Amino acid sequence: MICELSIEKLVQGGEGLARLPDGRVCFVRGGLPGERCRVELIAGKKDFARGRVVEVLEKGADRAQPKCPLYGKCGGCSLQHLDSAKQVTYLERVERENFKRIAHEELPDDFVIHQGEPWGYRNRARVVYLGERDGHCRFGFRKQESNGVVPVDNCPVLTPGLNDFLKNAKPSEIFKGQKRIPRDLEINLFDDGTGRVAYYYRGMPEARKRECSVSCVKIGAKQIKSDASVFFQSNLSLLPRLVQSVREAVDEGIASGAASDEWLIDLFSGVGFFAALLQDKFKRITTVERDGLCLQYAKVNLSEVQCKSDSGSPDHCPGQALAGMTKDGCSVENVSAPAEEWLVKNVVDIPATLIVDPPRTGLPPEALGAIVKSSVNRLIYVSCDPVTLARDFAKFRTAGFSLKRAEGFAFYPQTPHLEMMFVLAR
Ligand SMILES: C[S@@+](CC[C@H](N)C(=O)[O-])C[C@H]1O[C@@H](n2cnc3c(N)ncnc32)[C@H](O)[C@@H]1O
């Protein structure tokens, strides 16, 4: 069914909000505030409906021509119809409203969203192998809302290094030593910031994995070792800004006496990213991460030995290092366990500095409960999902915490996603 609707505002997820003649709310994919559109209704529920724009009848001032020919087909970059220069203004509005709706509180007046490049920023991607043509690999991205695949030659949000890989990768190199290549094989790609691309696919022979999937990323003077098979942030050019904000928040906490330099606890630590970049400030560090491979990297990243700074080659990176005492007297413990389990079993009885960076789902309730019961009076919460962040904040507030600082990081331009950092204290 097609109807004509007026888009009132943008909501979480990047859709436009309109009202159907029967009063129900309709979330419209591709619609912008102030626009009048012909909308195809694609799903209807008792209280709301979903639709997609088939024609813009009255165009909004901030509408842009999508740069990518795969817009609307591939599953990414659904906000390309909004002018890049205006995206942050809209995201800020959406997040202020979102926070008020979920947490019943205003984001601080000085809430700021840090921005980087709108295109060519994404250093991590997952592609599907589609076979060979003229000795080169052909790749695709998963389609919007389906498991189908749309072929891709070039993607404007990927770094030049990743686009070069899409164009020039040869099956004879990528699948060296591999007898059979499964259909629909997904490959994780990771550009370390220098254009060197590490890659990983399920079933990759162990020796090839060591050779091809390991990466070293330079953040300031520090080298962080990682791997295309595990989590790592996907906007390396804006990442130092997040690190700076986290370091400032840590300093403020220690200076105010609300947190201490005796103990840093980095929960959901991945490869020990934040802990490694804060190591100079603490006497004792604990990283907690569920994924065993991440733990191995965390051990390396928090040891004294570092990857050679001017070489991207994993051959130059050290092997696993044992946790223990570093040269400057910082005691390091890398734990492989669910964060909620570790928190319940380990009593945090000093006002430690705590960083949490959970997946989209937010903090498991047991983890949140254990933090509230501990001696932690101040925490830094990094999140890639403002909805679960607002939900968790509301629970912390009930336990006496308040919001001291809120910053956003536009890590994913052309998409409705946003990275956030909150500092909470009681
Ligand atoms: C958003 S990533 C953050 C990683 C790291 N802080 C970074 O910036 O690179 C979330 C991490 O939490 C891990 N994870 C997910 N659920 C977990 C849990 N219940 N306990 C511990 N780690 C978990 C994932 O494996 C992933 O590495």
Side-chain angles (χ1 to χ4, degrees):
M1 180 186 160
I2 306 271
C3 48
E4 268 189 43
L5 299 178
S6 297
I7 313 293
E8 294 171 17
K9 60 182 179 180
L10 214 63
V11 292
Q12 191 75 43
E15 291 165 317
L17 183 143
R19 295 247 166 223
L20 293 172
D22 64 12
R24 277 180 305 159
V25 156
C26 183
F27 298 105
V28 182
R29 195 192 301 157
L32 292 178
E35 291 188 333
R36 182 111 186 120
C37 302
R38 288 182 71 230
V39 175
E40 180 190 11
L41 297 186
I42 49 181
K45 301 265 188 256
K46 198 165 140 266
D47 302 330
F48 69 94
R50 292 199 179 280
R52 66 176 183 91
V53 170
V54 287
E55 188 185 353
V56 180
L57 301 170
E58 287 163 33
K59 208 159 106 174
D62 298 329
R63 180 164 284 274
Q65 180 61 31
K67 195 166 173 165
C68 178
L70 298 183
Y71 168 79
K73 295 180 186 139
C74 130
C77 301
S78 61
L79 215 55
Q80 280 186 64
H81 56 283
L82 176 58
D83 184 353
S84 298
K86 303 282 170 53
Q87 288 178 9
V88 157
T89 310
Y90 279 81
L91 287 185
E92 180 181 337
R93 217 173 284 159
V94 168
E95 293 324 334
R96 285 191 180 279
E97 217 176 283
N98 166 56
F99 192 66
K100 200 167 172 188
R101 181 174 48 85
I102 300 171
H104 308 293
E105 191 171 316
E106 300 283 349
L107 276 176
D109 287 346
D110 62 0
F111 169 62
V112 62
I113 299 181
H114 302 284
Q115 302 181 58
E117 291 301 323
W119 302 100
Y121 64 85
R122 195 176 167 90
N123 54 279
R124 206 161 76 99
R126 179 172 293 161
V127 292
V128 181
Y129 179 64
L130 295 177
E132 176 175 347
R133 185 171 54 204
D134 304 329
H136 288 92
C137 297
R138 288 176 58 241
F139 297 110
F141 283 138
R142 291 278 174 217
K143 283 184 179 167
Q144 207 170 60
E145 287 173 12
S146 112
N147 219 24
V149 180
V150 53
V152 59
D153 298 321
N154 183 78
C155 165
V157 295
L158 294 189
T159 60
L162 289 187
N163 272 316
D164 189 53
F165 185 95
L166 293 185
K167 203 164 140 214
N168 295 317
K170 296 190 174 72
S172 53
E173 285 168 17
I174 306 299
F175 302 114
K176 202 157 86 189
Q178 190 84 12
K179 288 200 184 73
R180 219 190 107 258
I181 305 167
R183 277 191 57 177
D184 222 31
L185 180 70
E186 292 189 338
I187 308 183
N188 292 355
L189 308 178
F190 184 82
D191 177 344
D192 66 2
T194 68
R196 181 187 172 275
V197 176
Y199 53 91
Y200 168 81
Y201 49 86
R202 208 180 271 260
M204 196 177 205
E206 212 33 59
R208 291 285 292 155
K209 188 167 184 292
R210 278 195 298 275
E211 203 180 322
C212 307
S213 74
V214 183
S215 249
C216 268
V217 175
K218 194 161 185 259
I219 306 281
K222 194 97 179 169
Q223 293 280 335
I224 308 287
K225 193 178 180 186
S226 186
D227 184 312
S229 71
V230 299
F231 176 87
F232 204 88
Q233 297 289 0
S234 55
N235 188 328
L236 288 186
S237 49
L238 195 54
L239 190 54
R241 183 54 249 195
L242 171 63
V243 171
Q244 185 186 327
S245 294
V246 168
R247 283 181 67 88
E248 284 167 9
V250 164
D251 288 342
E252 271 170 22
I254 295 171
S256 70
S260 98
D261 63 353
E262 291 294 323
W263 192 8
L264 168 67
I265 304 169
D266 181 1
L267 296 183
F268 310 89
S269 62
V271 298
F273 181 75
F274 289 117
L277 292 158
L278 292 163
Q279 197 168 2
D280 53 312
K281 295 183 186 291
F282 290 93
K283 300 191 176 95
R284 174 185 175 195
I285 293 181
T286 301
T287 68
V288 184
E289 162 62 46
R290 199 170 56 179
D291 183 304
L293 183 58
C294 280
L295 171 89
Q296 300 304 317
Y297 286 117
K299 282 183 179 172
V300 174
N301 289 326
L302 282 139
S303 72
E304 285 297 316
V305 199
Q306 280 288 300
C307 312
K308 282 226 173 83
S309 60
D310 49 357
S311 169
S313 162
D315 299 340
H316 293 266
C317 296
Q320 291 170 16
L322 286 173
M325 192 76 84
T326 63
K327 209 167 57 197
D328 55 5
C330 172
S331 119
V332 177
E333 180 193 22
N334 305 110
V335 182
S336 176
E340 56 279 26
E341 220 169 77
W342 183 87
L343 275 165
V344 169
K345 284 191 188 147
N346 292 271
V347 179
V348 181
D349 55 1
I350 63 164
T353 296
L354 176 65
I355 297 183
V356 300
D357 182 9
R360 280 193 185 292
T361 42
L363 280 176
E366 308 89 316
L368 200 146
I371 293 169
V372 163
K373 279 194 208 133
S374 76
S375 299
V376 167
N377 289 325
R378 189 179 151 102
L379 73 139
I380 298 168
Y381 190 144
V382 178
S383 164
C384 58
D385 189 327
V387 173
T388 53
L389 176 64
R391 180 204 66 192
D392 287 349
F393 166 74
K395 293 183 190 164
F396 276 115
R397 189 186 45 206
T398 310
F401 283 87
S402 61
L403 182 55
K404 298 294 174 197
R405 193 198 251 250
E407 291 181 39
F409 303 85
F411 273 2
Y412 322 99
Q414 318 308 328
T415 83
H417 302 296
L418 188 68
E419 191 81 5
M420 304 263 277
M421 184 198 79
F422 273 12
V423 178
L424 312 183
R426 61 177 165 190

